[in-house]
């Protein structure tokens, strides 16, 4: 197996440049490998001034200017493409609707699926480009039969394959990740950027949701969904307090519950369930967060659909660890059971299956089954 960059022939590559250091170095490496590279910055807001300033987002006017300066240094053409309407519909409105339904979405994963490797890739191919290049840390492997596989990055500390698990084989055939096989620290990437004369070398990484200007997710949702007072109850249904909107909570949350009644055992309580139907949030002990199985919908496979049930590892959060699972596809749904119970799994999250370092596919968690309580000896 060989990685698909550099190619045996020069490619026409569209480099998605966010204005950050990773995408700038990725574009520079693609150009250095002999590809014909064009940089593009995605304008994802109709009013970019409303997005986060500085370096914590990826959608500001400042970011666009940083990307343009990097393209100038690399010596490649540069454009800004307006995908604000598509981003609002496929990412922002989806984010709001998922929280309104009591689920916990991952907007970065949805952006990769719907924007960078659907809208952007479709437009790139229509314009005659061969591939889209991004600064993600993951690796596309070209097999002898011509098919492609998505694998974890060489450096697990920087691996971003979780948010790319939605890509299918056709999209992988047109994806380049020049940073994926880099066994270097982020400081070495920054040093490379500085050596290349890229001003973004010292720009801080973005961590927060780019379309929430102040980082206040609960305030953002309240502004769009409106406040709706409801009850906070324990597992027996006894009322413990009130809230201003169930959308302001996530499964496993401990802080910010504002419960006036301490638990009988004095231990902390966590969000166990969110019911948008009756606007109720249920809290309880941490042990009640344990999950033994789940069902996930809308699976997307990085290759062919698994033909038979099997044992895999799974990742449930962008920065989470792996856990062993038994998984099978039943009537188009992914059914997963955990070898050991896992804690704090929320509907709306993505589960990504791995076979070693290979990404098998991704699906959206729909329901979970609570683990049986431990029996005292």
């Amino acid at each position: 197996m060989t990685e698909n960059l550099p190619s045996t022939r020069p490619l026409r590559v569209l480099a998605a440049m966010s204005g950050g250091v990773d995408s700038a170095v990725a574009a520079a490496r693609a150009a250095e490998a002999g590809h014909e590279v064009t940089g593009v910055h995605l304008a994802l807001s109709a009013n970019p001034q409303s997005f986060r300033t500085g370096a914590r987002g990826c959608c500001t006017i400042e970011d666009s200017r940083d990307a343009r300066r990097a393209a100038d240094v690399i010596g490649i053409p540069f454009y800004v493409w307006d995908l604000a309407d598509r981003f609002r519909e496929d990412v922002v409105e989806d984010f709001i609707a998922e929280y309104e339904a009591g689920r916990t979405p991952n907007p970065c994963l949805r952006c990769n699926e719907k924007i960078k490797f659907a809208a952007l890739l479709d437009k790139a191919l229509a314009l005659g480009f061969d591939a889209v290049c991004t600064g993600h840390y993951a690796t596309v492997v070209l097999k002898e039969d011509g098919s492609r596989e998505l694998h974890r990055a060489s450096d697990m500390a920087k691996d971003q394959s979780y948010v790319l698990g939605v890509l299918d084989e056709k999209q992988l055939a047109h994806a380049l990740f020049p940073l994926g096989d880099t066994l270097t620290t982020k400081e070495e990437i920054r040093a490379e950027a500085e050596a290349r004369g890229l001003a973004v070398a010292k720009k801080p990484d973005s961590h927060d949701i780019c379309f929430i200007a102040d980082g206040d997710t609960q305030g953002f949702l309240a502004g769009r969904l409106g406040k709706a007072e409801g009850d906070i109850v324990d597992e027996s249904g006894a009322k413990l307090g009130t809230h201003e909107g169930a959308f302001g909570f996530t499964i496993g949350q401990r802080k910010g519950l504002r419960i006036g009644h301490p638990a009988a055992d004095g231990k902390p309580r966590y969000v166990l369930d969110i019911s948008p139907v009756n606007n109720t949030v249920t809290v309880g002990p941490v042990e009640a967060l344990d999950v033994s199985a789940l069902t996930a919908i809308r699976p997307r496979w990085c290759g062919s659909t698994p033909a038979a049930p099997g044992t895999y590892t799974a990742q449930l959060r962008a920065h989470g660890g792996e856990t062993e699972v038994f998984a099978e596809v039943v009537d188009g749904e992914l059914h997963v059971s955990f070898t050991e119970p896992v804690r704090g799994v929320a509907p709306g999250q993505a589960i990504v299956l791995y076979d070693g370092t290979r990404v098998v596919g991704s699906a959206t968690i729909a329901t979970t089954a609570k683990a049986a309580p431990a029996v005292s000896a």
Side-chain angles (χ1 to χ4, degrees):
M1 296 190 298
T2 58
E3 207 272 330
N4 74 331
L5 184 67
S7 171
T8 55
R9 65 178 179 87
L11 303 175
R12 289 194 67 204
V13 174
L14 188 69
M17 302 181 70
S18 66
V21 64
D22 290 330
S23 61
V25 172
R29 288 188 178 184
E32 190 174 65
H35 301 300
E36 182 186 338
V37 180
T38 297
V40 62
H41 179 81
L42 304 183
L44 301 179
S45 171
N47 181 22
Q49 295 93 328
S50 69
F51 279 12
R52 185 187 314 282
T53 59
R56 300 187 67 192
C58 60
C59 310
T60 67
I61 290 176
E62 179 184 345
D63 294 314
S64 174
R65 291 169 179 163
D66 287 343
R68 182 179 296 277
R69 283 191 289 266
D72 288 343
V73 171
I74 298 168
I76 59 175
F78 178 84
Y79 300 92
V80 175
W81 285 1
D82 183 359
L83 293 179
D85 289 344
R86 181 76 180 263
F87 182 78
R88 184 184 65 252
E89 179 181 344
D90 288 342
V91 179
V92 180
E93 291 182 3
D94 173 81
F95 178 85
I96 296 169
E98 286 292 284
Y99 266 102
E100 187 176 23
R103 297 185 287 267
T104 305
N106 185 316
C108 295
L109 187 147
R110 192 66 61 232
C111 183
N112 284 328
E113 176 187 358
K114 298 291 188 178
I115 304 301
K116 293 177 183 174
F117 291 95
L120 177 62
L121 179 57
D122 289 348
K123 187 172 182 178
L125 294 177
L127 291 172
F129 288 93
D130 300 304
V132 165
C133 162
T134 73
H136 287 99
Y137 290 88
T139 304
V140 178
V141 171
L142 177 63
K143 299 179 66 179
E144 292 181 0
D145 63 2
S147 64
R148 286 171 170 79
E149 295 177 345
L150 179 65
H151 284 251
R152 288 193 182 277
S154 298
D155 185 352
M156 278 291 293
K158 298 195 294 289
D159 175 64
Q160 293 176 306
S161 59
Y162 174 85
V163 295
L164 297 170
V166 291
L167 305 186
D168 60 28
E169 190 172 359
K170 179 182 176 182
Q171 292 168 323
L172 290 177
H174 301 283
L176 296 181
F177 305 121
L179 306 188
D181 60 352
T182 303
L183 281 170
T184 55
T185 65
K186 187 58 178 279
E187 288 310 307
E188 288 172 310
I189 290 292
R190 293 189 182 282
E192 178 180 338
E194 188 167 10
R196 292 180 181 275
L198 300 172
V200 293
K202 296 181 180 179
K203 186 174 180 178
D205 291 339
S206 59
H207 295 289
D208 302 314
I209 298 170
C210 69
F211 54 83
I212 299 182
D214 57 3
D216 180 8
T217 300
Q218 187 168 350
F220 172 84
L221 292 168
R224 279 130 182 101
L225 298 174
K227 294 183 179 180
E229 186 173 298
D231 293 337
I232 300 175
V233 301
D234 63 18
E235 291 177 281
S236 72
K239 182 177 177 179
L240 303 176
T242 62
H243 61 76
E244 295 182 338
F247 53 78
F249 299 85
T250 57
I251 301 296
Q253 180 178 334
R254 173 185 173 183
K255 297 182 179 180
L257 301 184
R258 300 189 299 276
I259 300 173
H261 305 280
D265 59 8
K267 294 182 179 180
R269 283 177 288 206
Y270 299 77
V271 174
L272 306 181
D273 184 65
I274 303 164
S275 175
V277 175
N278 55 16
N279 200 25
T280 298
V281 175
T282 303
V283 299
V286 67
E287 296 80 9
L289 288 170
D290 288 344
V291 167
S292 61
L294 61 81
T295 299
I297 58 175
R298 298 191 298 274
R300 291 178 61 87
W301 306 109
C302 298
S304 59
T305 303
T311 300
Y312 303 90
T313 56
Q315 187 170 331
L316 299 164
R317 299 175 187 85
H319 303 291
E322 290 181 288
T323 184
E324 186 176 82
V325 301
F326 181 82
E328 60 181 326
V329 179
V330 180
D331 296 329
E333 295 182 339
L334 181 65
H335 290 206
V336 175
S337 58
F338 297 95
T339 302
E340 297 290 339
V342 296
R343 186 161 287 176
V345 181
Q349 291 176 331
I351 177 171
V352 178
L353 296 183
Y354 292 85
D355 181 6
T357 64
R358 180 176 70 88
V359 181
V360 178
S362 172
T364 302
I365 299 169
T367 61
T368 60
K370 293 190 179 298
V375 179
S376 302

